[in-house]
Amino acid sequence: MKLLLIHGLSRSPFSLLTLERRLQQAGWTTEQFAYAAVLESYDQIVERLRSRLDAIADREPYGIVAHSLGGLLTRSALGKIRSALPKQIVMLGTPNRQPRLATFANQIPLFQWWTGQCGANLADPAFFDKLPPLTSSYTIIAGTSGLRGAWSPFGTDVNDGIVALNETYLSSRDRVITFPVYHTFMMNDQRIQETVVQAFDGRV
């Protein structure tokens, strides 16, 4: 089974290289999907991803590992896919509900320019209301090392520094797997890498 890795906003495929090597060591064939929010609109990225998924699905079974925004791109693309759905999806720190930090960040001109439509979507409740649900099997992994308390924008809510734990849920029935890590580099944590491997082995 082919595994497609999709990085997060303001990151690149380099951010997933360590995880990719671990998946290859476990016997999986991998590919990466790259995008740059400053150069493409969200819709353009989704269309490219949809085309890529269709091409892979026509050849072989596949799964997806997506960090942060990569999970939202995945949901949007799968809503348009013309071929078979993935066997398994693993989301790392994906805000499946509107992340509160995006509302503040999207008021900053530099953030608006750098993230374009992708950043604007993160701050738009209507965008999340229209996201298609996942019908494939999926695993959600979230971090818990973010600051909490009076100085935190999250208050007492558990978070990874960027996304709150309660923002990662697709459904109230989800069992989210948590680790004491931060959002930006969570994919490099060995415990998370092993959990991703286990998810594709059917052991999670």
Side-chain angles (χ1 to χ4, degrees), residues 92-105:
L92 306 175
T94 293
N96 286 302
R97 304 179 184 187
Q98 185 189 0
R100 66 198 74 181
L101 283 192
T103 303
F104 300 104

Side-chain angles (χ1 to χ4, degrees), residues 5-19:
L5 283 69
I6 308 170
H7 61 83
L9 182 65
S10 297
R11 304 304 305 277
S12 76
F14 290 106
S15 67
L16 296 172
L17 284 179
T18 303
L19 173 58

Side-chain angles (χ1 to χ4, degrees), residues 183-198:
H183 183 86
T184 305
F185 302 106
M186 63 192 307
M187 72 291 288
N188 295 326
D189 186 270
Q190 291 185 353
R191 296 162 298 181
I192 286 181
Q193 292 178 4
E194 291 308 311
T195 302
V196 174
V197 169
Q198 291 169 13

Side-chain angles (χ1 to χ4, degrees), residues 47-99:
E47 179 54 29
R48 281 203 304 110
L49 179 55
R50 193 277 310 161
S51 178
R52 181 79 165 272
L53 294 175
D54 276 327
I56 295 173
D58 287 342
R59 299 192 308 264
E60 58 191 317
Y62 69 101
I64 297 172
V65 183
H67 177 231
S68 197
L69 182 72
L72 302 183
L73 292 167
T74 295
R75 290 177 60 185
S76 294
L78 290 178
K80 301 174 181 293
I81 198 170
R82 300 165 187 168
S83 302
L85 294 170
K87 301 297 183 183
Q88 173 69 261
I89 300 166
V90 177
M91 291 181 286
L92 306 175
T94 293
N96 286 302
R97 304 179 184 187
Q98 185 189 0

Side-chain angles (χ1 to χ4, degrees), residues 164-182:
L165 174 60
N166 58 21
E167 294 165 351
T168 65
Y169 284 75
L170 266 164
S171 163
S172 59
R173 300 184 300 275
D174 286 335
R175 181 180 71 88
V176 176
I177 303 172
T178 61
F179 292 93
V181 296
Y182 293 100

